[in-house]
Amino acid sequence: MFRFEDPIYLYLLLLIPVLVLIRWWMVMIQRKRLRRFGDLELVRQLMPDVSRFRPLVKFCLLLAALALLIVMLARPQMGTRISQEKRTGIETIIALDISNSMLAEDVAPSRLDRAKMMVENLVDHFTNDKIGLIVFAGEAFVQLPITSDFVSAKMFLSSIDPSLIETQGTDIATAINMATHSFTQEEGVGKAIIVITDGEDHEGGALEAAQEAKDKGMRVYLLGIGSTKGAPIPIPGTGDYMKDNTGETVMSALNEDMCKQVAEAGGGAYIHVSNNSNAQEQLNRELDKLAKKETSSTVYSDYDEQFQAVGIIVLLLLIAEICILEIKNPRLKNIHLFSRKKTVALLLLFVVMGASAQNDRDYIRQGNKQFRSGKYAEAEVNYRKALERNAKNPQAFYNLGNALLAQKKDSAAIEQFQQAAKIETSPKRRSYAYHNIGVICQGHQMFGEAIEAYKEALRNNPDDDETRYNLELCKRQQKQQQQNQNQQNKDNKDKQDKNKDKNKDQNKDQQDQQKQQQKQQQEQKPQMSKENAEQLLNAAMQEEKNTQQRIKKAQHQKQNRKLQKNW
């Protein structure tokens, strides 16, 4: 991208046609004066050393230098640049919910738009702090890595839309875990995770994620947006609302209880967002409580000053104007007039081309120097500038991949290596790109992808012993991984079988124990001998005999009483 920082100075370019008119008027006056002496052709013959074209060339050079000086005042800018700044502040990661439920309009103009306005106001409140941006729905990804470039933060914020994530839902735990790993390694600086959501957590695990963030010295703040009564979710561009499988309108309500629990687990605070500025003020007060520390920040800008190249062109034009004399050079008399014009034009063209802005090779050399010094971020910027100059430079892609790899941006580095391998014409250099892809994949235990990359590198450079060694090592690691996986599966199966056998043994032991208890109970009953049994039987028979005798005796006595009475 190209722009002028102060384009108002470009109005000074109107001086150029004015000077041209003044020059033409002066030439006319000069010719009138020469005519007073006689015929012009005769006068020119009397002045053989005076050139007709050198003054015009010198005037054109001065006009070109003046025009470029005006362009310098307007400050032409193009490409990117970085600067290192010392800042004292906190680090904040904002996790913004962009699920479809955030389109509800119970908060004006909508939940999502209101949340974006809050984030923008928060960025305006920051001065020396760092900010990062994560968007999430059913899954999460980093929209903006943590940075002090607030202009970029606002630019990324404006492009946020629910269509960025295809998987719908609300996975707060994944967002918090990703934010936990997105901070810098600075110690002693306050770190805050601000989750802006309507609280409809569909995945769970948010409390555990917030507790883990708190254990690492971070604070989790929940900004609940929406109403607890619920609101329908509009479908953009249709004027209708989302409906469920039964045809009923879906109502999305704020889950305040869950938000409060997550904020409490994360050691932060819960703030309800409504149509006023109370939530913004409360959040600012909470963030002001965090500890601040001086940190070094790398600030990226979309535009870099290019006046230096214009200044070099101006200097060369002025030098050329001084070196060109108004009288003819006797050594050039034998050169044809047309050839001299052509030579001067080519000379000016080469001067302008030689003094133009840095080409892609210059940026690559600067990037290589910074890379060797360990300044990988600065090297990355120079390699990207080289690609802006020449988008088909394989060396710039390859070196950019190395700079990203040094910053542990592995996925981005693989993309650059793939692009370098695609446009590289030298098989040997192409093999280097595939080799690095294999190294990255092998480091992430993606042995299948690493093996394919190493094979492709060997196809382009069969004599690369290092790649061949890595290929064999990767095959062994893949085999070992498969064996470990098989062993793990076998161990799990054996463990399951062992558990089954153990359960069977436990059941058998319980049955045996029950039998043993029954046997013991039977053994505990008193055993009666044969003699005791005969004695008891005889006693019973004697008792029965005595009973019969008493009955008979009683009957006999009753009859006697009756006879006596009758009588």
Side-chain angles (χ1 to χ4, degrees):
M1 301 176 67
F2 180 82
R3 73 170 185 180
F4 289 100
E5 179 68 20
D6 300 316
I8 192 171
Y9 289 105
L10 295 177
Y11 287 108
L12 294 176
L13 291 174
L14 296 176
L15 293 174
I16 302 299
V18 175
L19 293 176
V20 171
L21 291 176
I22 293 174
R23 169 70 179 176
W24 176 80
W25 180 66
M26 293 179 64
V27 170
M28 293 296 102
I29 293 176
Q30 186 179 12
R31 286 185 179 183
K32 288 182 180 180
R33 291 176 180 177
L34 289 176
R35 286 193 183 99
R36 296 177 184 177
F37 293 98
D39 185 65
L40 290 179
E41 292 296 333
L42 180 60
V43 173
R44 290 193 182 99
Q45 291 177 6
L46 295 175
M47 297 183 297
D49 293 334
V50 176
S51 174
R52 298 172 56 186
F53 301 102
R54 287 173 181 263
L56 179 60
V57 172
K58 291 170 66 68
F59 178 72
C60 292
L61 290 175
L62 288 175
L63 282 182
L66 177 61
L68 292 178
L69 282 173
I70 295 173
V71 172
M72 284 181 60
L73 289 176
R75 293 177 61 188
Q77 297 178 343
M78 183 176 63
T80 57
R81 70 180 178 89
I82 61 173
S83 59
Q84 296 290 336
E85 298 182 3
K86 294 292 185 180
R87 297 173 178 264
T88 302
I90 63 173
E91 296 181 3
T92 304
I93 299 292
I94 299 176
L96 179 58
D97 185 357
I98 61 171
S99 59
N100 287 331
S101 60
M102 291 292 287
L103 297 175
E105 298 175 348
D106 49 355
V107 178
S110 69
R111 295 179 182 178
L112 182 58
D113 291 335
R114 179 62 182 169
K116 291 163 71 172
M117 291 169 58
M118 277 204 64
V119 175
E120 186 172 353
N121 293 335
L122 182 65
V123 172
D124 293 336
H125 176 74
F126 285 165
T127 53
N128 298 321
D129 307 293
K130 291 184 178 182
I131 187 172
L133 185 60
I134 292 176
V135 293
F136 70 95
E139 56 187 11
F141 68 88
V142 178
Q143 177 78 353
L144 175 68
I146 189 164
T147 179
S148 299
D149 188 359
F150 302 141
V151 176
S152 298
K154 290 185 178 181
M155 180 181 66
F156 280 101
L157 182 65
S158 61
S159 62
I160 292 178
D161 187 79
S163 61
L164 292 176
I165 298 180
E166 295 182 359
T167 305
Q168 283 300 312
T170 306
D171 193 352
I172 298 178
T174 300
I176 295 177
N177 289 330
M178 184 173 292
T180 304
H181 297 88
S182 299
F183 290 100
T184 64
Q185 301 300 320
E186 294 284 345
E187 296 182 357
V189 60
K191 299 179 180 180
I193 300 174
I194 301 176
V195 181
I196 306 178
T197 180
D198 52 17
E200 292 187 349
D201 189 13
H202 297 150
E203 305 298 332
L207 293 176
E208 293 78 4
Q211 182 65 46
E212 183 179 356
K214 179 183 177 182
D215 296 340
K216 294 181 179 180
M218 306 165 190
R219 292 291 178 267
V220 180
Y221 298 90
L222 259 292
L223 271 62
I225 187 166
S227 65
T228 56
K229 297 180 180 179
I233 303 173
I235 301 176
T238 62
D240 197 3
Y241 296 97
M242 292 187 179
K243 294 180 173 55
D244 56 17
N245 296 332
T246 61
E248 297 292 334
T249 301
V250 177
M251 300 295 291
S252 173
L254 171 64
N255 187 353
E256 278 195 321
D257 293 335
M258 190 278 299
C259 292
K260 292 178 180 179
Q261 293 174 5
V262 174
E264 184 179 358
Y270 167 73
I271 302 173
H272 180 248
V273 180
S274 57
N275 289 319
N276 52 43
S277 61
N278 294 337
Q280 188 78 54
E281 296 173 356
Q282 185 178 352
L283 178 61
N284 293 337
R285 289 195 299 269
E286 292 290 339
L287 295 179
D288 289 339
K289 299 177 183 178
L290 299 178
K292 293 180 172 60
K293 179 184 178 182
E294 183 179 281
T295 58
S296 177
S297 304
T298 302
V299 180
Y300 293 82
S301 176
D302 289 334
Y303 300 99
D304 190 14
E305 300 286 349
Q306 300 294 340
F307 69 89
Q308 302 92 339
V310 181
I312 294 175
I313 299 175
V314 172
L315 182 61
L316 292 176
L317 290 175
L318 293 176
I319 292 174
E321 193 275 337
I322 294 172
C323 293
I324 297 176
L325 303 177
E326 292 189 358
I327 61 174
K328 295 180 180 179
N329 192 339
R331 298 178 182 179
L332 301 178
K333 286 183 179 181
N334 297 327
I335 300 178
H336 195 271
L337 180 61
F338 177 76
S339 299
R340 279 186 282 175
K341 291 181 179 179
K342 190 174 181 180
T343 303
V344 172
L346 291 175
L347 179 61
L348 291 176
L349 179 62
F350 287 133
V351 168
V352 173
M353 292 178 60
S356 60
Q358 290 177 298
N359 56 28
D360 54 333
R361 294 184 179 180
D362 294 332
Y363 284 120
I364 290 177
R365 282 193 290 268
Q366 291 181 8
N368 293 342
K369 184 177 179 181
Q370 293 168 340
F371 185 88
R372 288 190 291 269
S373 301
K375 301 177 180 179
Y376 305 120
E378 292 87 341
E380 176 188 350
V381 173
N382 278 301
Y383 293 143
R384 293 191 184 277
K385 288 182 179 180
L387 290 174
E388 290 179 0
R389 301 292 183 184
N390 183 8
K392 296 183 178 180
N393 190 332
Q395 185 180 1
F397 279 111
Y398 179 79
N399 291 1
L400 177 58
N402 287 328
L404 294 171
L405 180 60
Q407 300 177 71
K408 297 182 180 180
K409 302 177 181 179
D410 295 342
S411 58
I414 289 178
E415 293 179 2
Q416 302 304 323
F417 288 136
Q418 290 175 342
Q419 192 67 23
K422 185 183 298 184
I423 63 178
E424 179 60 69
T425 57
S426 173
K428 188 173 183 179
R429 293 179 179 177
R430 193 184 303 122
S431 68
Y432 296 158
Y434 284 116
H435 176 88
N436 288 354
I437 294 175
V439 170
I440 296 175
C441 294
Q442 187 175 1
H444 289 277
Q445 296 185 355
M446 301 165 59
F447 299 118
E449 292 82 352
I451 290 174
E452 292 300 324
Y454 287 140
K455 287 181 179 179
E456 192 64 32
L458 289 174
R459 292 189 188 100
N460 290 274
N461 185 15
D463 298 330
D464 192 345
D465 294 333
E466 182 180 358
T467 302
R468 185 172 288 103
Y469 172 78
N470 286 2
L471 176 60
E472 295 300 325
L473 179 62
C474 192
K475 288 181 178 179
R476 293 182 182 179
Q477 290 176 337
Q478 185 185 37
K479 185 177 180 181
Q480 183 65 32
Q481 185 185 45
Q482 292 176 352
Q483 291 177 353
N484 293 338
Q485 185 66 30
N486 294 335
Q487 183 64 33
Q488 185 177 2
N489 295 335
K490 184 178 179 181
D491 292 342
N492 292 335
K493 185 177 180 181
D494 292 343
K495 187 176 181 180
Q496 292 177 356
D497 294 340
K498 187 176 180 180
N499 291 334
K500 291 181 179 178
D501 295 339
K502 185 176 180 180
N503 292 333
K504 290 181 179 179
D505 294 340
Q506 289 178 352
N507 294 334
K508 186 177 180 181
D509 292 340
Q510 291 178 356
Q511 293 177 357
D512 294 341
Q513 187 176 4
Q514 290 177 356
K515 291 180 179 180
Q516 185 68 22
Q517 290 177 354
Q518 292 177 356
K519 186 177 180 181
Q520 290 178 356
Q521 291 176 358
Q522 293 176 357
E523 291 178 352
Q524 288 177 357
K525 293 181 179 180
Q527 299 293 331
M528 185 178 295
S529 63
K530 185 178 180 180
E531 296 178 354
N532 292 335
E534 290 179 352
Q535 291 178 357
L536 291 174
L537 181 60
N538 293 330
M541 291 174 64
Q542 186 63 34
E543 183 67 21
E544 180 67 20
K545 185 177 179 181
N546 294 332
T547 302
Q548 293 294 333
Q549 290 178 357
R550 285 195 299 271
I551 292 173
K552 291 180 179 180
K553 185 177 180 179
Q555 291 176 351
H556 181 73
Q557 291 178 353
K558 184 178 180 181
Q559 292 177 354
N560 291 334
R561 286 193 299 268
K562 187 175 179 181
L563 291 175
Q564 289 177 357
K565 183 177 180 180
N566 291 334
W567 181 84

